[in-house]
Amino acid sequence: MSDAAHAVHQVPSRLLDASKCPKPHIDSFETYKKLYEESIKDPQKFWGEKAKELLHWHKPFETVLYGGLEHGDVAWFREGELNASYNCVDRHAYVNPDKVAIIHEADEPGNSRSITYGELLHQVSRLANTLKSLGLKKGDTVAIYMPMVPEAAVAFLACARLGLIHSVVFAGFSSEALRSRIIDASSKLVITADEGRRGGKTIHTKKIVDVALEGCSTVEHVLVFRRTGSEVPFSAPRDLWWHEELEKHRPYCPPEIVNSEDPLFLLYTSGSTGKPKGVVHTTAGYLLGAAITFKYVFDYQENDIYGCMADIGWITGHTYIIYGPLLNGGTTVLFESTPVYPSPSRYWQVVAQHKITQLYTAPTAIRLLRRYGDDYVKGHDLSSLRVIGSVGEPINPEAWEWYYEVVGRKECSVVDTYWQTETGSIVLTPLPGATAMKPGSATFPFFGIETAVLDAESGKELEGNDVEGVLVIKKPWPSMARTVYANHHRYMDTYLNVYKGYYFTGDGVGRDHDGYYWIRGRVDDVIGVSGHRLSTAEIESALILHSSVAEAAVIGVHDDLTGQSVHAFCTLKPNQGETDVNELVLQVRKTIGSFAAPKKIYLVNDLPKTRSGKIMRRVLRKIVSGESDQLGDVSTLADPSIVPVLIDSVQKS
Ligand code: WTA
């Protein structure tokens, strides 16, 4: 492991200095430990109290938890009744109507606009009344295929207001991917826009929807928000303009009060095989998970301006752009652009302009910006930041250090948050005022989350520290997914039947001598070479230590002699000139050991990534093993044209 990975960074003293920062909710590790232990000893008491404190109930619950992991019949706050949009909007709009709920940072700099809680209630109500007039009823599903505009949030909340189940499809998905999701969920309505804008480019959103809907009979209407105003195909009576419809309806709509366990949304996520799963989240438990983690993990305080750079089409956008911040009455920034448009300073301009206090982004963006160099960060006033977060994949210690030093000026806590679409909210994380950080470690479990490390083979729990295995959760928690849409079997088989009685995350994990958790990556990314277990993430971290390497992706390739061998794909920083791959091999030998040395290193211009920035190692594995005719579904690749280039590089090497 690198030196950076051994470093321990205490909570920055600035965060604990009352003259500089608001007092953190949890301001010492002892307080975290005490609360954590209480939450695990008596989860019913902990979650019952928090549910009353953080949510508004139209009818109180009596039972905190029913069911369990064994049978997959988990139900939280069973008799309770509430409404998600009331909790996110009304209760704040009544006391604080002029507080800004959403700041829209549009693709072109200088075009931001704000929506107050009062205005949000009007918009959500008008849309909810529109949806009602179209005949939609509680339990119907609505597909949302929208660019990053505040109206997307309005669409989420209007569905929730009526007990409709939203199924958001990331607006970068192709027509085919959209169609299969619409069909699987039997969505009756699609809410979309004429076009989207991202990084100065136009996305032909409505045209993509039109193609998706060819031969798709469940959809009765398409409601189109006007984002750019360009001429787009429009076929009445199926298609309706958002602005024309909303204008017809009154700006108040009574919320439909639903049961705690009524579904709030579906979100499709890809498994390692097969077609995407429609992960189902229910109302009260999900909202509680979103509200409590947002409050404590980002240490949200009354006047904060919080900015999450994810897309609303992914779980991070659901929980930490929309539900978490709004449940807490916060101000959330909705960012339409990219980290490099119009220049790699964009994030820092946005932080300075809006005085963002918490920034949440992904390691892939951090690595990209690190690669451009510090000059793009310097000169921007980032002093408003207190907490900077990372999510989505393990963050290399080197990228972590850069984030901490250059962006955070060693004055911000870095929260490396580990969670999944299925967990609904963060499960492993430091707390900004309490946890000493180790770069690359998601540190400790959040309140009420009882984690364990199992031996992958035997399924036995590995007690104590200094252990390696797979990460599981031992008890139900409120925001866990309840099922896979119309496929409970698949839910049981993927998550609850793998290790009976546990929720299986699918991730490898280590718990070090101090009890810190280190996510090693998906279990299917673990490589076994000559009996040694290696993590792709660890080898990648080693490669990135080399001064020329920008990004690395490591895969295991079948090897008759050693079981598997390590192959690595690396992109180099600009202007590196000649780089000898032997130096990179040496770097891995030096950092981890000879057994981890890649057998082959390919220097490439780009890596295959999903639109959310995850490296698709599966594609690399197929290419290297000469199965590039069996790549499977590559529709989630951000840039499919890189596939032939990669095949070429591998064949030439
Ligand atoms: C990975 C994203 C290491 C992990 C919220 C998980 C992480 C998968 C981290 C879920 C992290 C997410 N450190 N790995 N901080 N956060 N992952 O469903 O492999 O898009 O299982 O949810 O991302 O991805 P998903």
Side-chain angles (χ1 to χ4, degrees):
M1 250 192 239
S2 65
D3 290 344
H6 291 304
V8 179
H9 295 283
Q10 300 304 322
V11 172
S13 56
R14 167 174 165 260
L15 261 69
L16 301 170
D17 179 343
S19 68
K20 295 190 176 133
C21 290
K23 186 173 152 41
H25 296 299
I26 308 292
D27 60 359
S28 74
F29 193 64
E30 290 66 46
T31 312
Y32 157 75
K33 269 224 108 65
K34 185 169 163 282
L35 272 173
Y36 178 73
E37 272 153 25
E38 283 171 18
S39 74
I40 296 305
K41 213 163 81 204
D42 193 349
Q44 305 236 7
K45 176 165 177 278
F46 175 79
W47 289 117
E49 282 172 7
K50 290 296 175 191
K52 285 181 199 149
E53 178 191 323
L54 295 169
L55 299 178
H56 175 90
W57 296 87
H58 279 81
K59 184 182 159 220
F61 56 89
E62 288 158 29
T63 316
V64 176
L65 173 64
Y66 162 85
L69 300 178
E70 184 89 10
H71 300 294
D73 55 350
V74 170
W76 284 90
F77 317 116
R78 210 173 50 172
E79 305 78 7
E81 292 179 1
L82 73 175
N83 178 274
S85 99
Y86 184 93
N87 271 279
C88 289
V89 188
D90 300 43
R91 58 178 175 154
H92 313 303
Y94 298 154
V95 293
N96 225 347
D98 297 329
K99 176 159 183 181
V100 172
I102 300 173
I103 296 173
H104 184 229
E105 175 68 26
D107 193 41
E108 291 303 328
N111 285 346
S112 56
R113 66 181 160 118
S114 298
I115 296 186
T116 64
Y117 275 95
E119 288 162 347
L120 188 59
L121 179 56
H122 288 170
Q123 288 300 310
V124 169
S125 290
R126 282 185 197 271
L127 178 58
N129 283 325
T130 304
L131 301 180
K132 240 192 218 179
S133 76
L134 295 174
L136 289 154
K137 297 216 163 44
K138 185 184 165 200
D140 288 344
T141 59
V142 172
I144 298 177
Y145 187 75
M146 298 273 282
M148 288 288 290
V149 290
E151 287 70 17
V154 171
F156 279 57
L157 296 163
C159 289
R161 198 163 190 86
L162 299 179
L164 308 174
I165 305 167
H166 57 72
S167 168
V168 179
V169 180
F170 172 60
F173 274 116
S174 65
S175 297
E176 266 182 42
L178 173 61
R179 174 168 38 224
S180 66
R181 285 159 177 75
I182 290 172
I183 292 173
D184 189 79
S186 313
S187 296
K188 290 192 172 162
L189 173 79
V190 181
I191 305 180
T192 188
D194 52 357
E195 291 177 333
R197 297 282 298 165
R198 195 161 183 269
K201 298 197 185 97
T202 299
I203 298 147
H204 300 287
T205 316
K206 174 63 166 58
K207 284 189 187 150
I208 297 170
V209 171
D210 284 347
V211 176
L213 294 185
E214 281 166 16
C216 179
S217 58
T218 60
V219 172
E220 291 161 10
H221 289 290
V222 178
L223 189 63
V224 188
F225 171 70
R226 193 173 258 169
R227 163 66 183 87
T228 64
S230 298
E231 196 69 31
V232 293
F234 199 82
S235 65
R238 185 196 71 182
D239 297 351
L240 303 163
W241 283 113
W242 170 294
H243 57 276
E244 288 177 3
E245 296 305 312
L246 265 69
E247 207 184 67
K248 296 178 191 163
H249 295 280
R250 71 188 266 236
Y252 180 78
C253 172
E256 174 91 22
I257 308 306
V258 306
N259 183 270
S260 293
E261 282 295 322
D262 276 327
L264 177 61
F265 67 86
L266 302 181
L267 185 57
Y268 284 87
T269 185
S270 27
S272 37
T273 52
K275 65 172 195 161
K277 301 184 277 269
V279 168
V280 177
H281 282 288
T282 57
T283 305
Y286 171 80
L287 294 179
L288 179 57
I292 190 174
T293 51
F294 181 75
K295 176 175 171 179
Y296 291 111
V297 175
F298 296 101
D299 192 47
Y300 171 72
Q301 308 275 348
E302 180 78 34
N303 298 314
D304 285 347
I305 309 286
Y306 160 91
C308 168
M309 303 291 120
D311 193 284
I312 46 128
W314 309 116
I315 192 67
T316 304
H318 282 57
T319 309
Y320 298 110
I321 296 178
I322 299 182
Y323 287 109
L326 297 180
L327 284 163
N328 282 277
T331 300
T332 181
V333 175
L334 212 117
F335 180 62
E336 194 177 28
S337 197
T338 78
V340 293
Y341 183 76
S343 86
S345 284
R346 185 64 188 277
Y347 272 12
W348 323 122
Q349 284 162 356
V350 173
V351 168
Q353 185 192 338
H354 300 296
K355 301 200 165 32
I356 289 179
T357 40
Q358 293 95 346
L359 180 77
Y360 195 26
T361 188
T364 185
I366 298 166
R367 290 192 299 258
L368 179 73
L369 295 172
R370 173 179 177 257
R371 168 172 160 176
Y372 277 103
D374 302 0
D375 287 348
Y376 286 102
V377 191
K378 288 183 182 143
H380 297 278
D381 179 7
L382 306 182
S383 59
S384 54
L385 288 173
R386 295 199 316 271
V387 181
I388 51 181
S390 170
V391 58
E393 54 176 318
I395 178 166
N396 318 75
E398 293 62 41
W400 192 103
E401 292 285 354
W402 183 83
Y403 199 31
Y404 175 69
E405 275 174 33
V406 179
V407 177
R409 308 157 328 277
K410 301 188 180 179
E411 293 194 326
C412 296
S413 281
V414 177
V415 287
D416 176 358
T417 61
Y418 165 83
W419 58 297
Q420 310 175 299
T421 303
E422 298 86 343
T423 66
S425 57
I426 292 166
V427 301
L428 290 176
T429 180
L431 297 181
T435 314
M437 302 162 280
K438 292 192 185 185
S441 164
T443 73
F444 298 106
F446 187 74
F447 301 129
I449 306 288
E450 193 172 358
T451 44
V453 181
L454 300 189
D455 177 75
E457 298 286 302
S458 66
K460 283 224 170 66
E461 246 181 73
L462 301 171
E463 310 276 345
N465 290 339
D466 257 331
V467 290
E468 287 284 334
V470 292
L471 181 67
V472 296
I473 303 178
K474 291 173 75 165
K475 299 263 174 62
W477 67 103
S479 69
M480 70 181 291
R482 300 291 192 269
T483 191
V484 168
Y485 190 70
N487 201 344
H488 196 65
H489 233 320
R490 193 160 174 208
Y491 172 82
M492 294 302 292
D493 286 348
T494 313
Y495 308 111
L496 303 186
N497 285 343
V498 183
Y499 299 103
K500 204 69 197 158
Y502 297 96
Y503 167 84
F504 176 49
T505 61
D507 282 301
V509 73
R511 191 167 51 216
D512 74 10
H513 54 281
D514 295 323
Y516 280 67
Y517 284 85
W518 297 78
I519 299 293
R520 307 292 187 208
R522 302 294 305 186
V523 186
D524 35 17
D525 287 337
V526 168
I527 309 178
V529 182
S530 304
H532 297 290
R533 277 194 125 178
L534 302 172
S535 147
T536 51
E538 208 175 340
I539 303 173
E540 288 162 8
S541 277
L543 287 163
I544 203 179
L545 276 177
H546 190 278
S547 60
S548 325
V549 175
E551 280 203 287
V554 166
I555 54 169
V557 177
H558 175 78
D559 187 295
D560 281 339
L561 197 62
T562 57
Q564 281 183 305
S565 62
V566 177
H567 286 222
F569 288 76
C570 296
T571 62
L572 300 180
K573 292 179 188 162
N575 313 320
Q576 286 307 314
E578 278 290 295
T579 299
D580 185 355
V581 291
N582 290 324
E583 275 182 41
L584 306 186
V585 175
L586 203 64
Q587 180 76 54
V588 178
R589 284 180 192 273
K590 213 170 75 190
T591 317
I592 305 172
S594 299
F595 63 91
K599 191 169 178 188
K600 256 221 145 110
I601 294 188
Y602 311 93
L603 299 179
V604 293
N605 290 329
D606 209 350
L607 296 172
K609 289 185 187 157
T610 63
R611 295 189 187 89
S612 63
K614 284 206 180 83
I615 297 169
M616 286 180 83
R617 293 178 184 75
R618 176 173 63 83
V619 169
L620 297 174
R621 276 195 290 266
K622 290 279 180 196
I623 293 176
V624 172
S625 54
E627 297 170 320
S628 40
D629 55 334
Q630 299 162 38
L631 288 180
D633 180 15
V634 289
S635 68
T636 52
L637 270 181
D639 177 16
S641 73
I642 97 161
V643 171
V645 181
L646 286 167
I647 294 175
D648 202 37
S649 319
V650 170
Q651 280 169 352
K652 279 198 189 122
S653 73

